[in-house]
Amino acid sequence: MTALVLLEIENGTVRQASRSAITAASAFGPVDVLVLGAGAEIAARLPGVTRVRHAESLSDAVAEPAAALLAEIASDYTHIVSAASAVGKNILPRLAGLLDVQPIPDVVAIKDAETFVRPIYAGNALATIRSSDSIKILTVRGANFDAVANEGGSAAIEAVSLSSASNVPAVDLISVNLSTSERPELESARVVISGGKGLKDAENFKLLEPVADKLGAAIGASRAAVDSGFAANELQVGQTGKIVAPELYIAVGLSGAIQHLAGMKDSRVIVAINLDPEAPIFRVADYGLVADLFTVLPELEHAL
Amino acid sequence: MKVLVPIKRVVDYNVKVRVSADGSGVDTQGVKMSMNPFDEIAVEEGIRLRESGAAKEVVVVTIGAQAAQDVLRTAMAMGADRAILVKTDETLEPRAVANALKAIIERENPGIVSMGKQAIDDDMNATGQILAAKLGWPQATFASKVTINGERAEVTREIDGGSATYGVPLPAIITADLRLNEPRYASLPNIMKARKKPLETLELSSLGVDTASRLTTVSVAEPAERQAGVMLNSVAELVEKLKTEAKVI
């Protein structure tokens, strides 16, 4: 059995969630990785990688040719894995469609080569499922698998290319709009501080920043805070946003709706700061503080 | 151009589901059901495309038990023109749903399929992508903005770290993210009118497509309960606990 991991490389480094996917895939046997675009040499240094397959002219931003290439090389593998990221969730189910396979998204545990655990109903239940497909296509949650290191391996690099592009729909990438942030990536941060509607406006949302700076934390947000325009979309933590499991998660002025809890309740330590003692967030919090966040946040900044 | 909107009847998003006592699934008996929230957004987008003149007709389709017709009526009350119920008592996986939808699409010939990015029950986020692959169509997943320019659509997609805009030839599959629009409420007169709109019922078996399951559910379990936490009185106490007890800062 050999597994293939679709790798995401960003700013010259392999994304942590992709390195977690390598750990997950190594449960099945030797691991090859596929790199679309630049970065094959970076991938070749990852420990636990046997072979880098490199398609320089493709990009993981466009699913149609990426899935077509994966379909061409899929027969070399028993398992095809990626992070459960926007890229993985875009490309891998399309690959599954091309191969007539039922994909297995958001895997949180691997029981054996064909049995996997995944959350359903916004994380309110965990389903153990067995796949009868000959090639298993899965996305895995980075937070549930340790990431391999960036250095230590020396894999062979082999060029691959799409041999039949004729029936691939012609989709153009027109523009990319990334928000720039100096902070750690939300999904791999050791500490996350998230704000909700209790912060009242976008200006107040910035009150999280000094505390985040002190803790080296990433900043997250509830859906309500994002919908109200306090925070950017990509900061949303929850069933429909990012899934995080940091060492410490500090929830500030957010109630803790089911949809939000789905994205953070596997955090090791949860702190809730809320004025409403009945807020559901207190039911999952290890430490709760019923207090006005506008006095707590400056105090917290001072105390750290 | 016609817009086809596949929708799903799911346990209402406000319901906290319980795992059944025998660990075979979750209890859905007597639980409030409604249209998958992402599908409401997809229906809304279809209606807006018609209102803008880019589309002529909005057809909604669901695959499920007879009871699933209530979400079709809801979609028609929002403004969809007609509905198709593909009847089955089985629970289908995304691959099977895609096979059935492909048969409907080949019959209806839509220019756009507008659908939700994921259903909040199985949380798969896969049907649209599988369907696009099977049709050989482009896919614009997690869409937050759609503009139609003749034979092409310009779609902005939510990606990790921001957004990206794509030029997509039609016909295409577009899957709706939360931010695509704010779905409208159905007014009482429109709910009454929706009762008279055409609703066609087909048996799934009449489509003659492969809907076999590839996954077997071994068990369903409750996630581990978190230990009850403690309530603190001051920031000083919190910082102290985080340093000495939890050892996270």
Side-chain angles (χ1 to χ4, degrees):
Chain A
M1 292 197 291
T2 306
L4 178 71
V5 174
L6 170 64
L7 225 55
E8 290 169 60
I9 298 178
E10 200 174 57
N11 302 325
T13 52
V14 179
R15 289 189 69 184
Q16 169 146 345
S18 286
R19 291 186 281 116
S20 296
I22 291 174
T23 302
S26 63
F28 309 123
V31 176
D32 284 3
V33 298
L34 175 65
V35 173
L36 304 173
E41 309 74 29
I42 298 160
R45 296 201 293 270
L46 295 170
V49 173
T50 312
R51 178 167 62 154
V52 177
R53 308 194 80 175
H54 184 210
E56 194 161 17
S57 62
L58 295 186
S59 154
D60 64 18
V62 188
E64 290 79 359
L69 174 70
L70 277 161
E72 287 182 1
I73 62 174
S75 61
D76 297 345
Y77 303 100
T78 55
H79 296 77
I80 298 178
V81 184
S82 87
S85 59
V87 164
K89 289 178 171 188
N90 191 32
I91 297 174
L92 258 56
R94 185 175 179 97
L95 167 67
L98 295 175
L99 299 178
D100 195 29
V101 162
Q102 170 57 45
I104 306 153
D106 282 315
V107 169
V108 295
I110 294 167
K111 296 276 188 197
D112 60 42
E114 56 196 25
T115 316
F116 313 98
V117 182
R118 63 181 301 271
I120 54 175
Y121 289 92
N124 286 305
L126 287 172
T128 302
I129 48 170
R130 187 175 297 131
S131 165
S132 62
D133 279 311
S134 56
I135 298 177
K136 273 74 169 171
I137 296 179
L138 43 149
T139 64
V140 299
R141 285 203 176 165
N144 296 84
F145 299 90
D146 291 333
V148 298
N150 273 308
E151 304 283 340
S154 59
I157 300 175
E158 175 201 300
V160 287
S161 60
L162 186 57
S163 64
S164 162
S166 57
N167 50 5
V168 177
V171 171
D172 309 320
L173 176 59
I174 298 171
S175 63
V176 179
N177 183 9
L178 295 180
S179 46
T180 48
S181 172
E182 299 289 304
R183 296 184 194 289
E185 196 186 18
L186 191 51
E187 287 152 295
S188 54
R190 205 187 66 82
V191 181
V192 172
I193 181 164
S194 279
K197 214 151 180 211
L199 282 147
K200 294 195 169 69
D201 62 37
E203 202 50 45
N204 288 331
F205 200 83
K206 293 188 184 137
L207 293 172
L208 298 177
E209 289 174 9
V211 182
D213 288 339
K214 283 267 170 86
L215 292 166
I219 291 181
S222 69
R223 184 183 158 189
V226 170
D227 283 351
S228 308
F230 305 175
N233 292 350
E234 60 270 18
L235 298 190
Q236 187 188 318
V237 172
Q239 184 185 20
T240 59
K242 300 276 165 61
I243 313 287
V244 301
E247 289 281 298
L248 173 61
Y249 189 92
I250 306 176
V252 182
L254 62 80
S255 65
I258 294 174
Q259 172 325 106
H260 186 77
L261 299 182
M264 46 63 75
K265 67 188 167 67
D266 292 330
S267 305
R268 190 164 83 74
V269 176
I270 298 173
V271 171
I273 299 165
N274 204 301
L275 207 47
D276 175 11
E278 302 299 319
I281 190 74
F282 286 119
R283 282 183 233 144
V284 301
D286 300 280
Y287 301 109
L289 200 55
V290 178
D292 185 353
L293 64 92
F294 292 104
T295 57
V296 168
L297 284 174
E299 278 186 57
L300 190 55
E301 185 199 345
H302 265 281
L304 289 170
Chain B
M1 185 178 71
K2 185 192 291 183
V3 181
L4 187 82
V5 188
I7 61 181
K8 186 178 186 183
R9 184 176 186 259
V10 298
V11 171
D12 188 84
Y13 73 98
N14 280 313
V15 174
K16 188 172 186 310
V17 296
R18 296 204 175 277
V19 172
S20 58
D22 63 359
S24 64
V26 300
D27 285 329
T28 54
Q29 283 287 330
V31 168
K32 185 185 176 202
M33 306 289 283
S34 46
M35 194 192 310
N36 181 41
F38 291 101
D39 303 349
E40 288 183 13
I41 297 168
V43 171
E44 175 69 31
E45 196 64 17
I47 297 164
R48 290 187 190 189
L49 288 172
R50 191 193 59 209
E51 287 170 346
S52 73
K56 288 222 156 43
E57 189 186 25
V58 180
V59 181
V60 287
V61 57
T62 196
I63 302 166
Q66 187 66 38
Q69 67 170 315
D70 63 3
V71 294
L72 295 173
R73 292 289 175 202
T74 304
M76 288 193 287
M78 288 172 72
D81 298 292
R82 61 185 171 90
I84 303 166
L85 170 64
V86 180
K87 244 178 82 178
T88 176
D89 288 325
E90 285 172 57
T91 303
L92 303 188
E93 290 166 2
R95 186 196 73 94
V97 171
N99 282 342
L101 289 175
K102 180 168 181 272
I104 298 291
I105 287 163
E106 281 162 356
R107 200 184 73 162
E108 293 284 337
N109 269 320
I112 284 182
V113 174
S114 171
M115 56 200 289
K117 77 163 179 181
Q118 80 189 63
I120 60 164
D121 51 2
D122 63 19
D123 280 331
M124 283 275 187
N125 193 334
T127 307
Q129 297 89 315
I130 297 172
L131 178 59
K134 285 176 178 278
L135 289 162
W137 287 11
Q139 64 187 49
T141 53
F142 329 145
S144 57
K145 186 165 186 273
V146 177
T147 316
I148 308 292
N149 302 313
E151 300 293 297
R152 288 179 84 80
E154 200 172 290
V155 183
T156 301
R157 301 180 51 234
E158 298 288 306
I159 59 171
D160 291 337
S163 62
T165 302
Y166 294 75
V168 182
L170 299 178
I173 306 286
I174 295 174
T175 76
D177 211 321
L178 280 171
R179 271 139 211 117
L180 184 56
N181 60 49
E182 182 104 11
R184 71 194 65 190
Y185 289 103
S187 66
L188 188 58
N190 285 342
I191 292 169
M192 303 305 287
K193 271 188 225 159
R195 290 186 184 169
K196 298 202 177 70
K197 289 185 178 176
L199 192 161
E200 180 190 0
T201 302
L202 303 168
E203 290 296 327
L204 176 67
S205 55
S206 74
L207 297 178
V209 296
D210 166 20
T211 54
S213 292
R214 298 288 179 82
L215 304 178
T216 319
T217 301
V218 178
S219 63
V220 176
E222 297 267 1
E225 284 275 324
R226 291 189 74 95
Q227 294 280 331
V230 291
M231 300 304 277
L232 307 175
N233 296 311
S234 71
V235 169
E237 201 182 347
L238 173 62
V239 172
E240 172 68 18
K241 291 273 190 197
L242 291 178
K243 276 185 178 155
T244 57
E245 194 176 89
K247 297 190 172 64
V248 284
I249 58 171

